[in-house]
Amino acid sequence: MKLTPEQIAAAQKANLETLSGLTNQALQSIEKLIELNMHIAKQSLSESMSSAKKALEVKDIQQLLAHQAEAVQPMAEKIMAYSRHLYELAHETQASFTKSAEKEFQAGQQKMNALVEDWTKAAPAGSDAAVHAMKQAITSAASVFETSQKAVKHAVEVAQTNLNHATSAVEKNVQSGNQTVSKKSNKK
């Protein structure tokens, strides 16, 4: 089983194309992250200026408590929204890389099967055991890949569930805190 220069060149070209595709996917994800962070930074600056102006207009402790309570819930909601956006971006990137990996694995498996078939045609008599071992190794590699893909998908589902639970818990805590602050400011 000897590779020709043409086969080596074709493999190198395919690897270069794969690397280029993965690099482009990574750059697109980074670009989306930068856009998200810039949007958040601009929005935060605007809201901070508005909040500072309102804080300068505060005349007593009740207005200060009301102003703080008013600012807490939107901030917590924005933090959770930002976390969801980050998760969605990470999930999208992971799905894109997984799709590329699956495509490359399938192409590699087809090439390996073709090489084994070519090798078996030219194999000397009595090498059936070696041919069977080679085919079994390819089948085992495919099985390991499928199992790891299922594990990654399960981990993503668990992360999504945990994020949803954390979001709900934070939102309940913020609402509870706002109610407590409102009650205290009304008593004074």
Side-chain angles (χ1 to χ4, degrees), residues 87-175:
Y87 172 79
E88 288 169 6
L89 178 59
H91 180 69
E92 180 183 307
T93 302
Q94 181 268 335
S96 178
F97 277 116
T98 299
K99 185 177 179 181
S100 294
E102 288 172 349
K103 180 181 169 189
E104 288 302 313
F105 183 79
Q106 288 172 353
Q109 190 174 13
Q110 289 173 349
K111 288 177 188 176
M112 184 59 77
N113 287 337
L115 283 173
V116 169
E117 287 302 317
D118 288 346
W119 184 65
T120 56
K121 290 176 186 174
S127 60
D128 294 339
V131 169
H132 180 72
M134 184 84 83
K135 288 181 179 181
Q136 189 63 34
I138 292 170
T139 302
S140 295
S143 176
V144 167
F145 182 77
E146 287 177 27
T147 302
S148 66
Q149 290 298 76
K150 288 177 184 176
V152 167
K153 288 177 183 175
H154 178 70
V156 168
E157 290 170 3
V158 168
Q160 177 67 46
T161 301
N162 289 342
L163 180 64
N164 290 339
H165 289 304
T167 301
S168 296
V170 167
E171 288 172 352
K172 287 177 185 175
N173 286 338
V174 168
Q175 289 172 354

Side-chain angles (χ1 to χ4, degrees), residues 53-69:
K53 287 177 186 176
K54 285 182 182 178
L56 291 173
E57 296 171 1
V58 168
K59 295 181 178 149
D60 60 22
I61 191 72
Q62 286 143 345
Q63 285 181 338
L64 178 63
L65 290 174
H67 173 69
Q68 287 177 336

Side-chain angles (χ1 to χ4, degrees), residues 3-120:
L3 295 176
T4 66
E6 292 82 18
Q7 290 173 321
I8 293 171
Q12 288 175 338
K13 182 180 177 186
N15 289 339
L16 184 60
E17 288 173 3
T18 300
L19 178 62
S20 176
L22 292 174
T23 302
N24 284 333
Q25 289 174 5
L27 289 174
Q28 288 172 357
S29 295
I30 291 168
E31 183 178 16
K32 289 177 183 177
L33 179 61
I34 290 169
E35 287 174 7
L36 175 63
N37 286 335
M38 288 300 295
H39 174 74
I40 296 296
K42 288 176 183 178
Q43 187 178 28
S44 295
L45 179 62
S46 173
E47 290 171 2
S48 293
M49 289 297 126
S50 176
S51 181
K53 287 177 186 176
K54 285 182 182 178
L56 291 173
E57 296 171 1
V58 168
K59 295 181 178 149
D60 60 22
I61 191 72
Q62 286 143 345
Q63 285 181 338
L64 178 63
L65 290 174
H67 173 69
Q68 287 177 336
E70 186 181 294
V72 170
Q73 185 169 356
M75 184 182 301
E77 290 170 356
K78 287 180 177 125
I79 289 170
M80 294 313 297
Y82 178 74
S83 296
R84 279 192 292 271
H85 280 30
L86 284 178
Y87 172 79
E88 288 169 6
L89 178 59
H91 180 69
E92 180 183 307
T93 302
Q94 181 268 335
S96 178
F97 277 116
T98 299
K99 185 177 179 181
S100 294
E102 288 172 349
K103 180 181 169 189
E104 288 302 313
F105 183 79
Q106 288 172 353
Q109 190 174 13
Q110 289 173 349
K111 288 177 188 176
M112 184 59 77
N113 287 337
L115 283 173
V116 169
E117 287 302 317
D118 288 346
W119 184 65
T120 56

